[in-house]
Amino acid sequence: MLLDLTTIRQPETPVDRTMAPETFAPDDEFRLVAPAHLVGTLHKDESRYRLEGRVTTEVELACSRCAEPYRMPVAGAFELRFLPQALAGNKDEDPESDPTTSFYADDAIDLAQVVREQCYLAIPMKPLCTPDCQGLCSTCGINLNTERCQCAPTWTDPRLAVLQTLASARTNDDA
């Protein structure tokens, strides 16, 4: 969904857009499952724009422990600067040094990209369906949140194998 900048005449313009989840392609990390609502104010300074506002939606993620899908609400405030694409080579306007700066082309700002970025920023590094998620059994793969497996974990640290042989040798010792 593009915001046409040629229609913006005032120094401050309210922005209120709702985008259906179907307009966003499913991503590797998340999928939008509720309409994305972007509300804010667009500030104009000649060919430079500043968009401040809030994005609210709901995304579906895969739990990093049990791999089950779960929904997470997204509600994030933002403040972004948009500069014309012609300034992209300018050292003073380097987006690498300022992550809140982007460039626009064809007199339009892609609001869907703004929503996508806010969703990425809201996703935790390790998404969990619940804080106490048990995950999957490392032997049989059963989801430990829903079932109990009969596997007996017998992992021993291979770095301690030498000490284990010493300990078993001392069982015959009377010391």
Side-chain angles (χ1 to χ4, degrees):
M1 173 169 281
L2 298 176
L3 177 62
D4 185 8
L5 298 176
T6 60
T7 62
I8 307 296
R9 302 280 182 239
Q10 303 298 322
E12 287 187 1
T13 304
V15 177
D16 190 352
R17 303 285 169 89
T18 301
M19 297 168 247
E22 299 82 35
T23 61
F24 298 90
D27 196 279
D28 290 340
E29 298 191 34
F30 67 89
R31 179 175 70 93
L32 261 71
V33 292
H37 189 203
L38 184 144
V39 62
T41 306
L42 183 69
H43 303 272
K44 179 182 180 181
D45 182 20
E46 294 180 11
S47 64
R48 298 165 187 252
Y49 295 89
R50 183 170 51 94
L51 179 62
E52 58 183 4
R54 184 169 190 77
V55 170
T56 54
T57 187
E58 193 171 329
V59 295
E60 183 176 78
L61 303 166
C63 179
S64 61
R65 287 187 188 160
C66 68
E68 292 292 323
Y70 75 99
R71 291 180 173 208
M72 181 186 95
V74 172
F78 63 88
E79 183 175 342
L80 302 170
R81 291 185 332 143
F82 292 93
L83 306 174
Q85 189 68 38
L87 296 177
N90 190 343
K91 286 187 272 184
D92 296 332
E93 305 295 348
D94 184 17
E96 297 291 327
S97 63
D98 184 10
T100 64
T101 301
S102 294
F103 297 101
Y104 66 87
D106 301 327
D107 291 322
I109 294 174
D110 186 5
L111 294 178
Q113 182 62 30
V114 172
V115 170
R116 217 175 281 113
E117 287 175 0
Q118 296 309 307
C119 289
Y120 271 116
L121 291 172
I123 294 174
M125 290 179 73
K126 187 174 182 178
L128 297 176
C129 57
T130 61
D132 59 342
C133 177
Q134 299 295 309
L136 303 174
C137 174
S138 59
T139 306
C140 66
I142 274 182
N143 185 345
L144 297 174
N145 295 317
T146 58
E147 299 179 52
R148 292 284 159 229
C149 67
Q150 303 304 319
C151 301
T154 58
W155 183 82
T156 57
D157 193 340
R159 298 172 295 182
L160 301 176
V162 174
L163 293 177
Q164 185 65 33
T165 59
L166 291 175
S168 63
R170 288 209 53 152
T171 56
N172 297 336
D173 193 8
D174 291 335

